[in-house]
Amino acid sequence: MNLEAFVLGCGGMMPLPYRHLTSVLLRREGELFLFDAGEATQISIRRLNLRWKKITAIFISHMHADHVTGLPGILMLNSQVDRQEPLYIFGPPRIAEYIEQTRRSLDMYINYEIIVKEFTEPGILWEDKEFSIRSFGLRHTKPCYGYTLEEHMRPGAFFPEKALALGVPRGPLWSLLQGGGNVTLPSGLLVHPEDVLGAPRMGRKFSYATDSLYFPEISREVAGSDLLVCEGMFEDALLASAVEKRHMTARQAATIARDAGGVKLLGLIHYSPRYADKELKQLLQEAQEVFPNTILTRDRMNFPIENVD
Ligand SMILES: [Zn+2]
Ligand SMILES: [Zn+2]
């Protein structure tokens, strides 16, 4: 199963000539899930040559311009392809009003169904037989949510030699056991999946958290993430300003990653436009003092998230 994250933009507040606004696209088995869509997000998608019509759902963190002004362009572009399935958009209150008003005032041509789901309480938003997508609360100047995509546990590895030793012939009975079913052999012997499978394996987890005051409970939500993409907007010296604006420093993002436990990689995002690219190394350095496995995300970086077994 392919799981890969693409950073479409890594900047906060305003797009810069060399840095688009914070947005991440997750591709799982060809399905695309978009997290935030600031002005010009579509440019990065086009440059990555990803197919539009495959966007299944869009998740908006909060109703600030740098996270939603790219939506109309993405909605219009989806009309240029033959799209049968609806597009789902999840977000805090007023996202429906924003989309509806923009559609009407711009006479946007949309030839497919858009289903907008506003929510006010964190929880599971998307449930698939293999994974779920969940929101969790953040603390910003407006209602704001982080998101995780988490795969369910997978059955353990199959040991053919154990199946053969028990007398289970190669074929459909093997698939049945691999899928978690019991098998009764002609001899009357009942074979359970655990007789031929290893221990269940963890699924993968991706987390996205941006535009928030630091608070320790974020760690609980992102625990065990293979990839955590988290706002690291300011350097230590601007901590007071970060708190006042309800944003995070890079060190605070690293603190979340460290305290969560099980986070494999932290990608910083939503940099203040005050920093030129080469100045970001200060943020990286401060974060790495707390959580060494931190990197600076850049526009159009991609992160394959592999199964460990
Ligand atoms: Zn922002
Ligand atoms: Zn904001």
Side-chain angles (χ1 to χ4, degrees):
M1 291 284 172
N2 171 277
L3 179 64
E4 189 167 17
F6 299 85
V7 173
L8 302 179
C10 60
M13 287 177 70
M14 65 187 81
L16 300 175
Y18 51 87
R19 192 188 294 158
H20 288 305
L21 286 169
T22 291
S23 173
V24 176
L25 192 72
L26 209 56
R27 177 162 65 184
R28 190 182 184 281
E29 281 304 287
E31 261 192 323
L32 298 177
F33 300 95
L34 180 66
F35 298 86
D36 282 337
E39 189 180 339
T41 288
Q42 56 175 301
I43 295 175
S44 277
I45 299 187
R46 293 200 124 176
R47 284 179 67 179
L48 283 164
N49 214 9
L50 298 168
R51 290 168 64 203
W52 290 101
K53 65 175 174 182
K54 290 266 183 141
I55 295 183
T56 302
I58 301 174
F59 300 84
I60 297 297
S61 61
H62 65 299
M63 294 301 293
H64 271 159
D66 56 333
H67 298 260
V68 297
T69 44
L71 260 182
I74 286 179
L75 299 184
M76 283 190 284
L77 256 147
N78 267 261
S79 283
Q80 293 182 11
V81 292
D82 179 26
R83 182 185 176 112
Q84 304 301 325
E85 315 77 27
L87 171 66
Y88 289 85
I89 302 176
F90 296 88
R94 304 200 71 177
I95 183 74
E97 173 195 339
Y98 168 66
I99 292 167
E100 193 44 46
Q101 284 187 352
T102 313
R103 271 179 86 159
R104 254 190 289 131
S105 51
L106 301 182
D107 293 319
M108 281 165 60
Y109 172 70
I110 307 271
N111 59 1
Y112 57 92
E113 189 184 6
I114 298 175
I115 299 174
V116 184
K117 301 208 168 189
E118 292 186 348
F119 60 90
T120 50
E121 290 296 324
I124 290 179
L125 300 169
W126 193 269
E127 185 74 73
D128 178 278
K129 66 180 196 308
E130 293 178 345
F131 66 94
S132 59
I133 300 177
R134 185 171 56 77
S135 66
F136 56 92
L138 293 172
R139 298 181 191 163
H140 193 40
T141 54
K142 280 186 154 185
C144 186
Y145 295 90
Y147 294 99
T148 65
L149 179 147
E150 202 166 355
E151 293 178 333
H152 305 324
M153 297 281 279
R154 294 176 300 130
F158 178 67
F159 297 108
E161 64 282 4
K162 287 191 180 176
L164 290 172
L166 288 165
V168 187
R170 188 185 300 271
L173 295 183
W174 283 21
S175 314
L176 203 61
L177 287 162
Q178 282 170 297
N182 294 323
V183 162
T184 307
L185 298 176
S187 65
L189 179 70
L190 179 63
V191 181
H192 301 281
E194 56 269 27
D195 299 333
V196 294
L197 300 178
R201 294 171 285 188
M202 291 293 287
R204 293 163 291 185
K205 182 171 177 178
F206 162 81
S207 299
Y208 175 78
T210 189
D211 288 39
S212 182
L213 203 63
Y214 165 80
F215 61 101
E217 289 80 7
I218 300 174
S219 290
R220 199 176 53 214
E221 305 290 347
V222 304
S225 296
D226 295 272
L227 172 63
L228 164 63
V229 174
C230 186
E231 165 185 11
M233 193 172 185
F234 296 108
E235 64 198 296
D236 286 350
L238 294 175
L239 174 62
S241 169
V243 171
E244 187 197 333
K245 294 171 178 156
R246 298 178 83 83
H247 280 290
M248 275 189 267
T249 63
R251 185 183 297 274
Q252 289 177 319
T255 304
I256 290 169
R258 181 196 65 195
D259 295 347
V263 172
K264 294 205 185 83
L265 180 65
L266 166 66
L268 298 174
I269 204 161
H270 201 276
Y271 312 124
S272 165
R274 68 186 294 130
Y275 302 112
D277 271 356
K278 62 176 185 306
E279 295 169 314
L280 293 174
K281 65 176 187 300
Q282 177 67 23
L283 278 68
L284 180 65
Q285 201 181 321
E286 290 171 1
Q288 284 180 334
E289 282 171 22
V290 177
F291 189 76
N293 216 2
T294 303
I295 57 150
L296 294 168
T297 66
R298 305 278 190 186
D299 292 8
R300 292 173 298 284
M301 259 187 178
N302 71 315
F303 299 87
I305 305 173
E306 310 288 353
N307 274 312
V308 279
D309 35 57

